[in-house]
Amino acid sequence: MFDDGNVNHTILPITALAFVTLKSRLLLLAGEGPYLKVFDHGTAQLLAVKQVFESQAIHGLTFSKGYGSEDEEKDAVLLIWGGRCLCTCEICEIQNGQLKVDVRFGRELKADDWILDTRFRPCPHAFDPYASVVEGIAVLITAHNVALTLDSDGAQAPFLKRITAGPRSMLYSACIEWTLEEKILVASGTVFGEVLLWSFSERALFADDGILAVSQLHHSFTGHEGSVFGVRISPKLPDVYSKDEKRLLASCSDDRTIRIWDVSALENNVASPVGKRMNKVVSEAPSDGLKDGLSESRCIATIMGHASRIWNVRFHISKKRISVLSFGEDSTAQLWELVQEPKIPGLATQKVAGQYLIHQQTYAYHSGKNIWASAVLERKRGPSTICTGGADGRVVLYDLDRGNQRPDGKAPPTSWSMEDVAVQLKVKTPDGPVDRQDLKNKDVPSKHIFESFEGQWTIERYIESALPTYPSGIFRGEATFERRSPSSNDFDEEYLYTEQGTFNAHQGLSFAATRQYVYRYERASDTVSAWFVKPDDRSSVDYLFHELGLEGTNDSNGEHNLEEMSIVKASGYHLCVDDHYSPVYIFHFQNNILRDWSLAYQAKGPQKDYVAEASYTRKTSTLGESKVLSSEETISRTIQTQNKPKYMSIIDGLESDHFKSYVWLTHGIFMVTTAQGRVIIASLMSGCGRQRELRQSGKMASELRWDMVGRFESLKSSSIMMRATPTEAVFISGNDGTIFIYDHRAKGISPIVELARKVAFLHAQKLNNEVHIVFATCLGMRVAHVTLYKKSDFRGPSDEPHPRTSLLALPDSVIVTSACYIEASQIWILGSRTGTMALYDNTSLSTEAVSEPSKLLPDVHGKDAITVIHCLPDQKADQPVHILTAGRDGHYAIHTLITYRGTSNQLEVTLTTVHRSTTPFGPNIEGAAFDPESQSLLLWGFRSKHFVVWNATKQMEAMTIECGGVHRNWSYMPRLDGGDGGSFVWTKASICHMHSQVKASHRVFQSGGHGREIKAMALSPAFGGSSEQYIATGAEDTAIRIWSIDPETGFKCRGTFTKHTTGIQQLRWSNDGNILFSAAGCEELFAWRVQTVPFIGIGAVCEAVCPPVTEERDLRIMDFCIEDAPPTFQQDSKDSKSYSISAVYSDSSLRVSHPLKSITQNTNPI
């Protein structure tokens, strides 16, 4: 063991990983250079760090007992190797529950050659004659195909002993598999592209020196066109096509292919004996002596997948599914499944001997190049967990996910076609399945009544008691039917009913009162029932109160007349010990909408004799819900079918409809419009444990409940939806310029404004004073509409809304693609398709005149569209406002916005860019949000066929979904609870797909750093006027990182920015620490203004560029120095400064620049 001296913190490539269980505690071990790190799996806490070798990096970790061992009370014995070095360690638990790594043997062992793989002998059987001798014995394979054993005779320290060898060759990889037949099976990957399968008896481990140890070559596989970097032997596997077991061998190569070989019949066959005495030449048989064509027949599948070389492969066996994991130079891990005959037309696979390797998922959680290490934690329940480590020093854990596509071609359980929606909208009756909407037109509309309960109601209850012990009086208050997941699998839907108010007794007594019930609906019997709630938790269901038995309507023909008033009556009965309750419900419907209802019941018993009569009226929401229910304009826009009721027209032809626009209301509930003008609500019911059978997959999956809101002529063919965060109010516009508002509490849609033409862009925000502000532009019009909606705009069911609408003039250069209202500054900021940003003074807006833009700022994102404008949250009144912009140029930027009133009360604005960077997923940035819990900036968009959510603060991908690309209808909603989770819904091939996760797709145990060689480093002076200093690093990955150093936790990356096109060569700080200079190839020398930015950490803006010295721009800047320019070159402005640059180029020339260029605060007074 090497003394680790004064090294406190490191960031090195991760070259070895392993899981181990120590006394029921799961640990993760990582080899980082010569250091061994121990992490607690549950908390990701770093428990211990120990330097193992003096300078040699750790290449592998092997345990005598691993995860899932039954013997959990013993300390874990660990074998660590790297290069030629080898040592054993023991992980033990010490006092106070702390952990540390101890080295059992202080002596470091060295083999004669590089060690490629090691394996401890499995736990011996009770009848094993060598059981007392071989505990802890291990076998090693070296780079010249020689087998060694690590042994001890009990009288001396462990030593290495050579026991046998396979065919003579030079190896890049090896794998050892200990079989049940007392045989050690070895797969060797050679430099020349061969895979050698050979074995020897484990009895050779106990032979004395001089005894012959014979190895047997079973086969030499050819087919790879490059060196074989990784091999792996599978355990014995059940063959689903026969009763026999099989064993497979996987290999990967420099040729970027993965090959699967069937070695079931080979491990017991001998192609050539290769043994000699151990103290002589081990093998004289050439490795290429078996060229009989058997290699081709034994290769059952092959695939080319990674963008560059593949370093390693491993098997993953789960529920009779054989998967292969591959790890490449392209810093990705990829999951493949071996199947017999996939049914996906046109699937990109390669077939050999009737089997296929099908790509399931790509995990791209590392930067730079190379995944060097991996470990798999297999679980009996739930998905297995994989851990990877790469050249970037990052340690990442994630669950194995087989992606959105099943190998049998069936749809996954999170997909729904329009036919699925139609099927679910049918319910079972004694006469067979009928449309749920048809059921509403019959004499027993139980389901319709139950759905109409949802929302808030005003309640007034009169109680008349014949007994003086029970008071009489009036109760006034509010009642709410809140939908929740069914608490019993016997029921399909459930409400928690809560009423709160004040009871005024006739005797003068007044007090607050509350009552709760649970209302349930059972689809099979079409029954609504009311249940008591347990008094202890006021939520759980206790016992049955009564069922609602419907008695019919006031229509002479027994059917609802949907255009007239209908009355439905229901009654029930309940016996509680000696008390009898006889409830009677009366429901008043108009246009098939429940307007009001009443509940009266008589209670008779020894201690009770009273009558209670309650009337319920739907409560008017702040968004004008009464207008939704009564507006003739809304009804006139609903599609009517001749001689058919309205609900028949809503359900007819649903199977042939298509999904159009999406918007999330809450996590688990989204709204979708269709091509035929339908509005549907989808609610995920996964929490209730109920399941449904999807017709596409034939599998059981969590239920998605679909509810029809309505069908509207103006929403046919085209629709735009925008949720006013953080509320559940959604603004909708279609093909005729009408803007609707949907209130989820009331389940209603109402028109609020009618514009002259079809809406092209729609934006909505909720202001602090309960006001919604809506911005809209129309096709072919050079004006925009800004509308305010307040509670006072809706005074009652009969009043027409009178919202305030103002008009904004749009210059020809402004085609609006994004918008944001800054309430603190009362400014509208509009982003344009041409990269121009327009600002409007909201205080000057008028309903009588068109307002011109106060300021225009061109080229904010070059000539590309500005897709995102957001105001950073929690802005203080005495500080500048920070806004975020993102564009089609692939950049996002943070700006400070300072406003003030100049002469004549004219708005003056100063905009300063403080940070500009790019995302790794490319130019298609579609949205952004700020997470107040984790203080993180989230950006999302599309990379090729994938939807990506990127945490710009943590510099990590939070979600990656293969959806087909940007050209589709979709909606995303982040959770903003600190976990980087979110919900995504999209259309692909006319199928609605949904993905939701509560946390990021992976856990980062160690953040790491650059993924390529670090070429430059510079320590800053005191930063920003404080005593804090930072380290800047530049690497071959073209990125510049800013680091802070904590004595306890070590390095922390505070910022990352990129602009260089080649690897960084040199870095220098200015004397005041505000400017960082960077040099690279292609004659690139940039000056960055560095400062603290909210939600980013350390932000940077490239403010100056040194001009190239040659036309070809093919020189590298090897080194440079900077000095403050002489006073004659300094700028007059106090916010600007000039520097002299002396640079050495790769052609041995020295050049001096006077000055570099004017460096300012990048302030743009506009």
Side-chain angles (χ1 to χ4, degrees):
M1 173 59 61
F2 179 75
D3 184 7
D4 49 3
N6 296 321
V7 177
N8 295 322
H9 305 291
T10 62
I11 298 179
L12 299 171
I14 303 298
T15 50
L17 290 166
F19 290 102
V20 65
T21 300
L22 179 63
K23 298 182 180 180
S24 302
R25 192 171 187 176
L26 182 59
L27 306 176
L28 172 65
L29 275 65
E32 182 180 358
Y35 298 93
L36 180 67
K37 292 186 174 182
V38 182
F39 296 90
D40 182 88
H41 176 267
T43 63
Q45 179 185 359
L46 180 62
L47 301 175
V49 181
K50 195 72 173 181
Q51 186 167 354
V52 181
F53 304 122
E54 180 175 358
S55 59
Q56 173 62 51
I58 298 172
H59 289 160
L61 306 170
T62 302
F63 285 90
S64 61
K65 85 179 196 63
Y67 174 74
S69 171
E70 296 179 356
D71 186 11
E72 294 184 346
E73 295 304 319
K74 290 186 178 181
D75 296 331
V77 178
L78 167 66
L79 189 62
I80 307 176
W81 80 91
R84 297 171 50 218
C85 303
L86 178 77
C87 75
T88 57
C89 296
E90 182 180 280
I91 299 181
C92 59
E93 189 172 11
I94 60 176
Q95 66 275 6
N96 300 324
Q98 298 296 317
L99 295 174
K100 80 171 196 177
V101 176
D102 287 334
V103 180
R104 174 179 285 180
F105 307 109
R107 186 168 67 93
E108 178 183 306
L109 303 176
K110 286 195 175 182
D112 295 333
D113 204 350
W114 271 52
I115 301 169
L116 298 182
D117 194 24
T118 66
R119 185 67 61 90
F120 276 101
R121 186 174 189 264
C123 295
H125 302 290
F127 56 83
D128 192 335
Y130 302 102
S132 61
V133 181
V134 299
E135 184 173 1
I137 198 169
V139 172
L140 299 77
I141 302 296
T142 66
H144 280 82
N145 220 15
V146 176
L148 308 178
T149 181
L150 176 67
D151 201 355
S152 173
D153 60 8
Q156 59 181 345
F159 59 92
L160 292 173
K161 181 177 68 174
R162 178 172 155 175
I163 52 175
T164 188
R168 181 187 304 168
S169 187
M170 296 176 61
L171 309 183
Y172 266 138
S173 57
C175 177
I176 303 171
E177 180 69 20
W178 222 298
T179 71
L180 297 178
E181 295 82 14
E182 297 185 354
K183 181 187 294 185
I184 299 173
L185 195 61
V186 181
S188 304
T190 74
V191 175
F192 308 105
E194 297 172 300
V195 180
L196 309 176
L197 182 68
W198 59 281
S199 67
F200 60 94
S201 173
E202 69 173 29
R203 295 183 180 273
L205 304 179
F206 319 115
D208 296 331
D209 288 342
I211 303 298
L212 288 175
V214 178
S215 64
Q216 298 173 336
L217 175 63
H218 300 288
H219 196 71
S220 173
F221 297 102
T222 60
H224 283 296
E225 298 178 358
S227 300
V228 179
F229 294 133
V231 289
R232 184 74 62 159
I233 304 174
S234 77
K236 281 292 186 70
L237 306 172
D239 194 336
V240 296
Y241 303 102
S242 67
K243 297 182 179 180
D244 300 329
E245 291 184 325
K246 64 180 179 181
R247 191 187 297 277
L248 302 178
L249 169 64
S251 60
C252 61
S253 170
D254 189 26
D255 62 6
R256 297 166 47 203
T257 65
I258 303 168
R259 291 178 177 265
I260 307 297
W261 316 84
D262 188 351
V263 298
S264 306
L266 293 180
E267 61 177 292
N268 295 321
N269 297 333
V270 180
S272 174
V274 195
K276 300 291 179 182
R277 297 180 65 86
M278 289 186 295
N279 57 355
K280 295 183 179 181
V281 177
V282 178
S283 174
E284 296 178 354
S287 62
D288 59 349
L290 297 172
K291 303 290 187 180
D292 55 1
L294 187 60
S295 297
E296 193 67 26
S297 64
R298 291 295 177 184
C299 182
I300 62 174
T302 183
I303 191 70
M304 178 180 289
H306 287 263
S308 54
R309 293 175 289 185
I310 306 174
W311 296 128
N312 203 1
V313 289
R314 64 189 309 151
F315 285 99
H316 178 255
I317 314 300
S318 174
K319 297 180 180 180
K320 298 183 179 180
R321 301 177 74 170
I322 302 174
S323 300
V324 177
L325 285 157
S326 59
F327 312 92
E329 186 182 24
D330 58 2
S331 73
T332 68
Q334 300 194 27
L335 179 66
W336 312 84
E337 184 165 353
L338 183 66
V339 298
Q340 186 73 8
E341 194 171 338
K343 299 178 181 179
I344 305 177
L347 188 64
T349 59
Q350 287 180 265
K351 172 185 175 182
V352 179
Q355 297 195 33
Y356 297 77
L357 275 173
I358 297 180
H359 183 265
Q360 296 292 313
Q361 191 69 288
T362 297
Y363 308 97
Y365 301 137
H366 294 272
S367 61
K369 282 188 174 182
N370 303 319
I371 292 182
W372 293 126
S374 64
V376 175
L377 176 63
E378 298 193 9
R379 305 177 186 272
K380 296 180 180 179
R381 295 181 179 179
S384 298
T385 297
I386 183 172
C387 179
T388 55
D392 58 358
R394 175 173 289 192
V395 179
V396 181
L397 273 79
Y398 42 93
D399 293 336
L400 288 180
D401 180 12
R402 299 184 182 275
N404 298 323
Q405 188 165 249
R406 306 175 75 97
D408 55 5
K410 297 178 180 178
T414 51
S415 303
W416 295 267
S417 69
M418 194 60 76
E419 292 181 354
D420 288 321
V421 178
V423 168
Q424 203 213 69
L425 288 174
K426 296 178 181 291
V427 299
K428 295 179 179 180
T429 69
D431 299 327
V434 299
D435 288 346
R436 283 168 47 182
Q437 303 294 354
D438 286 350
L439 192 60
K440 300 177 183 180
N441 303 320
K442 295 185 179 297
D443 204 26
V444 189
S446 299
K447 174 63 173 175
H448 184 36
I449 289 177
F450 184 85
E451 290 182 337
S452 300
F453 277 149
E454 187 170 5
Q456 292 181 315
W457 302 83
T458 300
I459 179 176
E460 190 172 69
R461 179 182 293 114
Y462 294 86
I463 300 177
E464 293 292 339
S465 175
L467 301 177
T469 56
Y470 198 94
S472 301
I474 302 175
F475 171 84
R476 292 186 176 92
E478 295 181 358
T480 302
F481 285 86
E482 181 181 358
R483 187 181 295 274
R484 68 181 189 181
S485 299
S487 52
S488 171
N489 290 339
D490 295 332
F491 296 90
D492 298 275
E493 299 179 48
E494 185 173 298
Y495 293 119
L496 175 62
Y497 169 88
T498 304
E499 66 177 46
Q500 293 178 329
T502 303
F503 180 77
N504 297 297
H506 292 337
Q507 296 86 348
L509 181 64
S510 179
F511 55 87
T514 184
R515 179 182 295 179
Q516 288 182 306
Y517 295 107
V518 170
Y519 279 77
R520 290 168 157 178
Y521 175 72
E522 184 182 4
R523 185 179 302 170
S525 61
D526 191 38
T527 302
V528 178
S529 55
W531 298 69
F532 290 104
V533 172
K534 292 182 180 179
D536 51 353
D537 63 2
R538 307 185 68 83
S539 177
S540 301
V541 179
D542 199 353
Y543 57 93
L544 179 66
F545 184 12
H546 60 268
E547 292 184 349
L548 280 69
L550 300 183
E551 301 177 7
T553 71
N554 62 342
D555 295 328
S556 59
N557 57 1
E559 296 182 357
H560 286 294
N561 184 350
L562 299 178
E563 304 304 326
E564 299 178 0
M565 180 67 71
S566 297
I567 299 176
V568 180
K569 184 178 180 181
S571 61
Y573 175 77
H574 174 70
L575 174 63
C576 182
V577 189
D578 295 328
D579 298 328
H580 299 260
Y581 295 83
S582 301
V584 176
Y585 293 79
I586 298 178
F587 302 98
H588 295 86
F589 287 88
Q590 184 175 16
N591 298 321
N592 219 19
I593 297 175
L594 182 61
R595 301 306 310 273
D596 55 72
W597 56 285
S598 62
L599 170 59
Y601 60 87
Q602 184 178 16
K604 296 282 289 186
Q607 304 297 327
K608 295 181 181 178
D609 187 2
Y610 67 89
V611 175
E613 297 180 356
S615 60
Y616 293 80
T617 304
R618 189 176 292 277
K619 184 180 178 182
T620 302
S621 73
T622 60
L623 299 178
E625 176 211 330
S626 298
K627 179 66 177 176
V628 176
L629 300 177
S630 62
S631 173
E632 295 180 359
E633 183 180 10
T634 304
I635 298 173
S636 66
R637 293 183 182 276
T638 305
I639 298 178
Q640 303 290 334
T641 304
Q642 290 291 333
N643 302 322
K644 287 188 177 182
K646 182 175 66 172
Y647 278 110
M648 288 296 291
S649 65
I650 289 179
I651 201 69
D652 282 355
L654 182 59
E655 293 86 347
S656 61
D657 208 347
H658 300 282
F659 299 104
K660 292 296 290 184
S661 301
Y662 298 97
V663 67
W664 286 95
L665 304 179
T666 62
H667 291 285
I669 302 177
F670 64 87
M671 174 186 286
V672 57
T673 60
T674 71
Q676 296 179 12
R678 294 179 175 89
V679 179
I680 307 174
I681 299 294
S683 305
L684 185 64
M685 307 295 287
S686 58
C688 65
R690 299 177 62 248
Q691 294 182 324
R692 72 181 179 98
E693 185 173 355
L694 291 174
R695 294 191 304 169
Q696 306 108 309
S697 64
K699 303 293 182 180
M700 300 300 292
S702 298
E703 180 179 5
L704 194 66
R705 178 180 180 272
W706 299 87
D707 290 298
M708 189 77 67
V709 176
R711 186 173 177 184
F712 302 89
E713 181 72 30
S714 62
L715 299 182
K716 291 181 64 177
S717 303
S718 174
S719 60
I720 301 175
M721 295 195 291
M722 170 63 66
R723 184 173 71 97
T725 56
T727 68
E728 296 177 1
V730 176
F731 294 87
I732 312 171
S733 183
N735 52 39
D736 63 354
T738 302
I739 298 179
F740 299 85
I741 187 170
Y742 170 79
D743 186 0
H744 189 54
R745 291 185 307 169
K747 300 288 186 181
I749 292 181
S750 174
I752 53 177
V753 68
E754 195 170 295
L755 305 182
R757 296 185 183 180
K758 179 181 177 180
V759 172
F761 176 82
L762 185 65
H763 174 80
Q765 288 181 224
K766 178 180 179 295
L767 305 184
N768 293 333
N769 56 354
E770 299 299 326
V771 175
H772 287 82
I773 189 167
V774 180
F775 174 92
T777 64
C778 296
L779 291 176
M781 298 182 64
R782 303 311 303 158
V783 294
H785 302 76
V786 176
T787 307
L788 289 175
Y789 297 95
K790 302 179 182 179
K791 182 177 180 180
S792 58
D793 291 334
F794 302 90
R795 295 182 173 83
S798 62
D799 291 339
E800 291 296 326
H802 300 284
R804 174 191 169 189
T805 300
S806 305
L807 299 179
L808 308 181
L810 298 178
D812 293 338
S813 61
V814 177
I815 302 174
V816 180
T817 54
S818 56
C820 180
Y821 178 66
I822 312 297
E823 187 174 9
S825 306
Q826 298 190 63
I827 293 177
W828 273 102
I829 304 179
L830 308 182
S832 171
R833 186 179 299 173
T834 60
T836 299
M837 201 155 66
L839 289 82
Y840 293 81
D841 184 359
N842 192 66
T843 61
S844 64
L845 300 189
S846 171
T847 59
E848 300 177 354
V850 179
S851 300
E852 298 292 332
S854 301
K855 305 293 178 182
L856 290 177
L857 182 61
D859 301 332
V860 175
H861 285 272
K863 299 298 182 181
D864 295 294
I866 302 174
T867 57
V868 176
I869 301 178
H870 278 315
C871 179
L872 272 66
D874 301 327
Q875 302 288 335
K876 297 181 180 180
D878 57 344
Q879 294 183 355
V881 174
H882 287 83
I883 62 171
L884 166 75
T885 62
R888 284 280 188 266
D889 61 348
H891 289 81
Y892 66 94
I894 305 287
H895 316 268
T896 60
L897 181 69
I898 301 176
T899 61
Y900 55 95
R901 298 289 170 177
T903 58
S904 303
N905 201 32
Q906 185 178 0
L907 178 68
E908 300 292 340
V909 179
T910 300
L911 188 73
T912 304
T913 303
V914 295
H915 178 68
R916 181 181 292 271
S917 187
T918 60
T919 63
F921 57 80
N924 293 315
I925 304 176
E926 303 293 338
F930 300 95
D931 189 341
E933 292 295 325
S934 62
Q935 291 293 297
S936 297
L937 167 62
L938 302 175
L939 299 162
W940 54 85
F942 293 87
R943 177 183 58 215
S944 184
K945 296 182 179 181
H946 294 81
F947 175 78
V948 179
V949 179
W950 171 255
N951 189 316
T953 305
K954 300 177 182 178
Q955 290 290 296
M956 58 173 275
E957 286 188 5
M959 178 189 294
T960 304
I961 302 296
E962 185 177 352
C963 65
V966 65
H967 300 293
R968 63 197 61 256
N969 296 316
W970 60 275
S971 179
Y972 175 71
M973 181 179 181
R975 299 189 72 89
L976 304 182
D977 57 2
D980 290 344
S983 300
F984 180 55
V985 60
W986 72 99
T987 300
K988 183 179 180 181
S990 300
I991 302 295
C992 171
H993 301 262
M994 191 271 295
H995 175 86
S996 183
Q997 62 186 49
V998 298
K999 58 183 179 181
S1001 55
H1002 59 286
R1003 298 171 61 194
V1004 178
F1005 274 44
Q1006 180 170 288
S1007 297
H1010 293 282
R1012 298 289 302 277
E1013 304 90 329
I1014 297 177
K1015 292 295 190 70
M1017 180 180 294
L1019 179 65
S1020 75
F1023 186 81
S1026 66
S1027 59
E1028 190 172 9
Q1029 291 180 288
Y1030 294 94
I1031 295 176
T1033 57
E1036 280 294 324
D1037 60 4
T1038 73
I1040 299 173
R1041 291 177 178 262
I1042 307 296
W1043 306 84
S1044 63
I1045 306 176
D1046 187 285
E1048 298 296 329
T1049 60
F1051 295 100
K1052 181 179 180 181
C1053 184
R1054 300 291 303 277
T1056 302
F1057 37 96
T1058 58
K1059 183 178 175 65
H1060 287 280
T1061 59
T1062 60
I1064 309 299
Q1065 297 291 324
Q1066 192 57 269
L1067 296 171
R1068 292 283 189 273
W1069 289 92
S1070 64
N1071 293 331
D1072 58 7
N1074 293 325
I1075 305 296
L1076 175 65
F1077 297 87
S1078 61
C1082 299
E1083 305 176 14
E1084 295 175 344
L1085 200 158
F1086 302 151
W1088 307 80
R1089 183 170 298 279
V1090 182
Q1091 54 193 305
T1092 303
V1093 179
F1095 287 92
I1096 294 295
I1098 301 298
V1101 178
C1102 183
E1103 293 193 337
V1105 177
C1106 184
V1109 297
T1110 66
E1111 293 183 1
E1112 295 80 8
R1113 299 190 178 191
D1114 57 354
L1115 300 179
R1116 297 190 308 275
I1117 299 177
M1118 309 304 297
D1119 199 2
F1120 67 93
C1121 64
I1122 57 171
E1123 292 183 357
D1124 292 349
T1128 55
F1129 291 99
Q1130 294 293 348
Q1131 304 294 316
D1132 295 334
S1133 173
K1134 64 178 182 180
D1135 292 328
S1136 63
K1137 197 171 185 179
S1138 297
Y1139 297 89
S1140 295
I1141 306 294
S1142 301
V1144 177
Y1145 290 79
S1146 56
D1147 63 350
S1148 301
S1149 62
L1150 174 65
R1151 293 176 171 86
V1152 179
S1153 173
H1154 266 316
L1156 169 66
K1157 206 171 187 180
S1158 175
I1159 297 192
T1160 69
Q1161 288 287 343
N1162 198 33
T1163 301
N1164 203 334
I1166 51 179

